[in-house]
Amino acid sequence: MFFLQVNNQHANVSIVLFFGTIGMLALTIGLIVFIIFHQRKVIRYQMTLQKMEYEQQKMLLNASIRLQEEERQRIAADLHDDAGPLLATARLYLNENLVNLDKTTQLQSIYNAKQIIDDTIQLIRNISHSLMPPTLKNFGLESAVNDQFQKISSSGSINASCRFHDYKERLQSDNELIVFRIIQELINNILKHSNASFIHLTQNNNGNKFYIRMHHDGKGITQADFERMNKSSAGLGLKNIQSRLKVLQGRIFFEKDASQTYYKVTIELNREENL
Amino acid sequence: MVNYFLYITHITGFLPLLVFLFNLKENRNKSIRVIIYYIVYSLINEGILAFLRSEVYKGGKEIEAIIVASFTILEYFFFAFFLYSSLNNKRNKKALQIGSIIFGISSILNLYSNLHSSPKIEVFDTLTVSISAITLIVFCLVFLFEKIQKPEIGFIYAKKSFWIVIGIMIYFSGTFFLFLQYSELSEKEQENFWIINWFCIIIKNIFFAIAFYLPEENSNSIPDNASELFYLNDQD
């Protein structure tokens, strides 16, 4: 209404002013609306990522708790089924009537009880070693892996070899244990599922990165399989590997060799963070 | 209708101030306080201008020109200070500093030439206001661009700075052509078109009031139930 009252000689100025103002306001409002919607989109994307990460962490945590429970059950079973009966038998040999028996029988009973107690000691030592390998604790990852591979190789069913190219500086002892457990889990998987005839492990450093690579000629998995299994409820061992690597802030890659003959698993760690 | 708009403009001038006083605890931030100083200053300025334009005052237009020019310069610096404290990028801050120095020098020179060199004193200095509007719009855009580049978990419209910036942007973009063409308009047109300025001032005051009403910007976090609400509301 007001804009219609302008004089004809200033009509152009008025038109520029009127449409210019409308245009500027439309541009500004359009820009503001765009920014709001863009930001909402970004937030929505971030929330989806967060939700996925949260679910992944929840899965890893569940896997780690389940694995811990399984380990406890195994130790409990070992103690209950093996150590328990052994000690009960030793107790039978050393009962109160022993003093009333003749000397030869007494000596025989004591000898038997001693044998059983020795067996029990060995059993407990084995359990303890499975919990924390003494070679790893005393001599480090290289010796522990060598030891493990020698044991596998000596079984005769599979050829296992390993070589550490550059391991002068040891990782922190806690981190060595985590890496050792990951290697154990990977070996376990290869032995259980791959039907491989050999496993070869190499260790290398490249700048700030620490690499462990395993080759085998059996049936393996690729990165896509690994990620799929990580997202599903299956693959407890793989989830355990993933959660252990998360502690080390490391990465793992599963791939098939370019020749399509071998499967490779590469573990990558930052040396500075783990030394 | 003109009078009606004028009254609304005057009333909404007090709105941000009242909201600020009502919500004092949530407005402790230094950059937010600058905006309230600007609002108080603009209210005082309006009062002075109303007195100078009344029949009681018999003086010349020189004082009115100085007061209007000072308002333009100070208004620019209030907003520039706010934007300076809201920007994160050092280069953008430096650019705002340089822009402000250039604006300051040019506006003072312009005022001097208006008062001493021009045959007729112009109460409303088109050039200064236009430079001020362009500079502030550009830096408001820079601020919004920074916000887009740095994704935060938290809605942009939940932040005080956003409402202040869009208030500044709408005010200056809405009045830009009016101020630019002001000297070209006849007195009657100036009177008619001045409604745009009032309209933009009303919008600006409402946005500033919203900014003062919002809680303090202290974190990037979102409320616990935000994601739930978000997922429920946005199904697309």
Side-chain angles (χ1 to χ4, degrees), chain A residues 146-172:
Chain A
N146 267 321
D147 199 32
Q148 180 88 20
F149 272 65
Q150 268 172 18
K151 277 180 191 159
I152 296 167
S153 229
S154 60
S155 72
S157 56
I158 191 165
N159 180 17
S161 60
C162 71
R163 185 159 182 194
F164 279 66
H165 289 283
D166 187 4
Y167 196 62
K168 290 179 198 92
E169 272 183 288
R170 278 178 64 179
L171 301 175
Q172 280 174 31

Side-chain angles (χ1 to χ4, degrees), chain B residues 83-100:
Chain B
L83 286 169
Y84 184 82
S85 35
S86 303
L87 289 171
N88 292 322
N89 189 306
K90 279 185 182 173
R91 247 194 291 174
N92 295 338
K93 282 189 169 201
K94 194 89 188 160
L96 180 59
Q97 274 180 340
I98 295 166
S100 300

